[in-house]
Amino acid sequence: LNQIWSVSAKTLHLCLQSLVWDGIKRDRLVWMGDLYVELISCAALYGKQKVIEQSLDFVRDETPIPKYMNNIWVYSIWWILAQDHWFRCFGDLKYLEQQKSYLRELLRHFSENMDENGLQKGHTTALLDWASENKTDTLPGAHAILLLAFRAGKKLCLILNDSETAQICADAADRMTHLEFPVTESMAGNAFQVLAGWKDAEQMYQEVFAKVLPRKLSTFLGCFTLDACAKGNHRREALCFLRNYWGGMIHLGATSFWEHFDVDWLKNSARIDERVPEGKIDIHKNYGSLCFKGFRNSFCHGWASLPGEWLLRNILGVSFLDSKTIAFAPDLCGLRFAKGKIPTAQGPIVVNLEKGKQKIHVPEGFQIQK
């Protein structure tokens, strides 16, 4: 687990350049889906970094509404959730106020584009997780993310004293709350249905995740699937999936996490830091899919860095309710001890855990909700 945490931190660090590049050896563009995950990782591992805000502003300025960020409608939803997460972690009202006009217009756009059933009009497909090939299977997950964004948007608009848009968000969320979708082949899509409250976490775990994982995880949104497992009181099992999946890359010689990985690749594959012996599979040459097939599969990709944050939040048990209030619900998941630090604008939160003992230090001004 220490290795996984360290490799997560290194992977993200290499992608924090003039802007947040999606992969240090890929196209070096700012992709909003990637950036959302990288933002969460950065907040937990490196704190408030200007490059995150510069990247958020860059993709905003490149995308006048009604265009969608990176020409992907779900990616504009990630921008809303990114603003919410960043503000909860650091409470920078001055920065949030700079987003008010765009945030207001974007939330209203998604509300106005909703049909009588609560679905987005004109969207028959959705790019949710790049590891998912059947884009129609990702529509449930995409709408679940939008529901989460409307809930977040309501809170942000109230902070910005925009009660009218806050009410629009509340009304839109109410229209979506009772949507019903089937379970799909997309693990991330199923996970977001759980996180949005559409599916029961325990039932989803028993009927889907327990039978499939760690297969069909992805380096991009896999940790959200683990969050859905944890919501069903299966955090210890989720930790095992994390070990097997991200640890599988380390087993093959990874020093930074990859754009795409499947645990089935472990069978008879050579390490990436050794010549390929006769009879072994060259994992970089022979595996991958979609746009990251073969040698194009990046071996350092920022969206794969989320395990570092996942461990801090799920084992040390620290999550931000707002910039002055944290939830503290540690879970050793069978470990003998765990310790770590989480950066804040006022100084680090420090946690030390042993079996039967919990110790947390928070900077002055923070409240702890247990």
Side-chain angles (χ1 to χ4, degrees), residues 28-206:
R28 302 183 182 185
L29 299 176
V30 180
W31 291 88
M32 190 57 234
D34 308 39
L35 179 57
Y36 176 64
V37 176
E38 292 154 344
L39 172 149
I40 296 173
S41 294
C42 186
L45 304 181
Y46 294 113
K48 193 173 187 289
Q49 299 295 322
K50 195 67 177 177
V51 67
I52 296 290
E53 295 173 358
Q54 291 169 341
S55 299
L56 287 170
D57 293 350
F58 174 83
V59 73
R60 177 201 65 198
D61 295 343
E62 289 287 305
T63 317
I65 299 170
K67 288 181 62 178
Y68 294 121
M69 293 179 177
N70 309 118
N71 294 316
I72 302 169
W73 66 279
V74 181
Y75 276 33
S76 287
I77 304 174
W78 289 129
W79 187 88
I80 299 168
L81 290 172
Q83 297 296 334
D84 172 64
H85 190 93
W86 201 245
F87 186 77
R88 278 190 287 112
C89 288
F90 303 112
D92 188 341
L93 183 58
K94 182 178 179 181
Y95 178 73
L96 182 62
E97 286 174 340
Q98 294 171 10
Q99 318 308 317
K100 182 175 181 178
S101 175
Y102 192 91
L103 177 66
R104 175 181 182 274
E105 189 176 354
L106 184 58
L107 287 165
R108 288 176 177 237
H109 168 80
F110 280 117
S111 174
E112 292 166 2
N113 198 53
M114 188 180 294
D115 68 18
E116 64 276 9
N117 298 314
L119 302 174
Q120 286 295 293
K121 292 183 287 188
H123 297 304
T124 58
T125 63
L127 183 55
L128 179 64
D129 191 333
W130 285 81
S132 300
E133 296 192 48
N134 187 344
K135 302 302 186 293
T136 58
D137 269 354
T138 60
L139 278 173
H143 281 86
I145 294 167
L146 181 57
L147 174 55
L148 295 172
F150 277 131
R151 291 170 180 166
K154 174 187 173 181
K155 293 185 293 183
L156 292 176
C157 287
L158 289 175
I159 292 167
L160 292 167
N161 296 314
D162 184 354
S163 57
E164 184 178 349
T165 306
Q167 187 59 52
I168 289 172
C169 291
D171 292 342
D174 285 344
R175 291 172 65 188
M176 296 185 72
T177 298
H178 303 295
L179 286 175
E180 293 187 12
F181 291 102
V183 173
T184 74
E185 291 296 315
S186 169
M187 292 302 106
N190 294 330
F192 282 112
Q193 289 200 67
V194 169
L195 298 177
W198 285 338
K199 299 293 185 186
D200 178 76
E202 172 64 11
Q203 184 177 359
M204 183 70 77
Y205 180 83
Q206 296 296 343

Side-chain angles (χ1 to χ4, degrees), residues 242-254 258 261 263 266:
L242 183 145
R243 270 188 169 125
N244 291 335
Y245 186 76
W246 276 270
M249 285 178 268
I250 293 175
H251 176 74
L252 289 168
W258 307 347
F261 179 65
V263 291
L266 288 165

